[in-house]
Amino acid sequence: MLWTRAVSPPPVAPATPEGRAAAAYLGLAVGDALGATVEFLTPREIQHQHGTHRDIVGGGWLHLKPGQVTDDTTMSLALGKAILAAGHVDARAAADAFDAWMRAKPVDIGNTVRRNLIAYRKTGHPEAPLSEHDAGNGAAMRVLPVALATFGQPPDVVAAACRAQGHVTHHNLLSDAASDTLAAMVHDLLAGQGLDTARRHADALAAAHPLFAWQGKRRDNPSGYVVETLQAVFQALFSTHSFEACLVDVVNRGGDADTTGAIAGMLAGACYGPDAIPTRWRKAVDTEVRQRVEWQAVALLKRG
Ligand code: MG
Ligand code: MG
């Protein structure tokens, strides 16, 4: 009917892959900044200190400024810049970017990241040795630039790109499986396929690697172990119906809350789009970071 066309708003950017990509990257930064305040606290300690934690206020064990982000976001930005400069996802370019990032004295850095970047300086080999102990969440937390740059590419290309960036610091089968799953979920969500479709990848991960089974006991205090990280993220994502509710749920579980916040923010941003990110959070994130993530999201997607 003609009159409905006249009064309906025109198609707007939020529903496009570009809009969802920008929301995913901003969601990553928002979740990082929100969660960092309560990183390493227990849910009980969070309740005692903050009530339900729902504002970006800085502080935490890193003594952050309000809106400041941590390694989850800054490593992603370093990786995204390297991908854009190289024109593709390249292991050496990623290793050099992470090495430069470490030299710039980041506010925080994971043990596995530090150890394997120091090894890279010595060996010049941009792939850490296979280790069953390196199942931290450090590769998964920075997978978004790769997911954006490989949107629309065949699964083997996506997997090779995930390996190239992930193995610089985390050469581990569980880390690999987590990165593949997150990239596939981001791809479905960018395409507007919704949570039910994206959820199939989380279910497939749990079927292939039963350690990741996430339906069941509530995962509070998720550690930096990528299995616990994704369990908390999936429980929050699939039990809520908005960006805000998902992030409030996941960071109030405590533990590695900046990283669960970052990964949940990435997925919820891609799912619900930019208009779903609360204005108070969008405004609270460091302005330069916000501009960089939104610019990089679109630039990386154009590469795919
Ligand atoms: Mg962090
Ligand atoms: Mg963390």
Side-chain angles (χ1 to χ4, degrees):
M1 290 182 289
L2 276 175
W3 62 269
T4 55
R5 206 181 292 165
V7 296
S8 298
V12 287
T16 64
E18 288 77 13
R20 293 180 187 279
Y25 222 146
L26 182 58
L28 179 89
V30 161
D32 183 3
L34 180 72
T37 303
V38 294
E39 188 181 21
F40 301 136
L41 298 184
T42 66
R44 188 188 290 258
E45 288 167 339
I46 294 169
Q47 273 296 328
H48 182 69
Q49 294 181 26
H50 301 274
T52 298
H53 176 56
R54 51 175 66 252
D55 288 307
I56 294 175
V57 293
W61 73 281
L62 294 169
H63 305 289
L64 299 172
K65 293 185 241 123
Q68 192 176 356
V69 295
T70 73
D71 55 348
D72 309 74
T73 306
T74 56
M75 283 197 97
S76 295
L77 283 167
L79 174 61
K81 189 175 172 188
I83 294 170
L84 291 169
H88 64 284
V89 182
D90 178 78
R92 183 167 302 283
D96 287 338
F98 297 148
D99 189 21
W101 168 85
M102 185 166 72
R103 284 184 199 283
K105 301 206 183 310
V107 62
D108 64 339
I109 180 167
N111 292 331
T112 307
V113 168
R114 185 198 308 273
R115 171 166 39 83
N116 282 320
L117 289 180
I118 288 171
Y120 171 63
R121 286 182 188 169
K122 289 183 184 148
T123 65
H125 186 54
E127 182 178 49
L130 180 67
S131 169
E132 64 175 309
H133 302 294
D134 289 354
N137 56 27
M141 76 183 188
R142 56 173 200 248
V143 78
L144 180 60
V146 171
L148 296 176
T150 58
F151 181 53
Q153 302 278 327
D156 59 322
V157 174
V158 179
C162 286
R163 293 301 83 73
Q165 88 81 12
H167 286 187
V168 174
T169 56
H170 292 68
H171 191 167
N172 176 279
L173 297 179
L174 295 175
S175 170
D176 290 351
S179 291
D180 288 348
T181 300
L182 292 172
M185 292 175 77
V186 167
H187 288 166
D188 281 355
L189 295 169
L190 290 180
Q193 298 199 34
L195 271 189
D196 286 346
T197 300
R199 182 176 175 147
R200 291 180 314 177
H201 301 292
D203 290 336
L205 175 66
H209 302 275
L211 278 172
F212 280 98
W214 52 274
Q215 300 193 68
K217 190 171 181 294
R218 180 181 169 87
R219 173 57 71 190
D220 277 328
N221 297 305
S223 68
Y225 179 35
V226 71
V227 169
E228 296 188 11
T229 304
L230 289 206
Q231 286 172 332
V233 167
F234 292 156
Q235 288 181 1
L237 182 68
F238 296 124
S239 67
T240 55
H241 302 283
S242 73
F243 180 90
E244 182 172 3
C246 174
L247 265 68
V248 169
D249 178 316
V250 86
V251 301
N252 281 279
R253 292 165 187 255
D256 196 359
D258 60 325
T259 303
T260 59
I263 295 175
M266 165 183 86
L267 295 172
C271 177
Y272 298 111
D275 293 347
I277 299 177
T279 305
R280 73 180 194 284
W281 287 352
R282 178 189 300 273
K283 284 186 176 165
V285 168
D286 179 272
T287 304
E288 190 193 327
V289 168
R290 187 179 71 229
Q291 290 169 347
R292 286 183 68 195
V293 295
E294 289 183 336
W295 179 86
Q296 209 180 79
V298 176
L300 286 164
L301 199 66
K302 279 193 187 137
R303 272 220 24 63

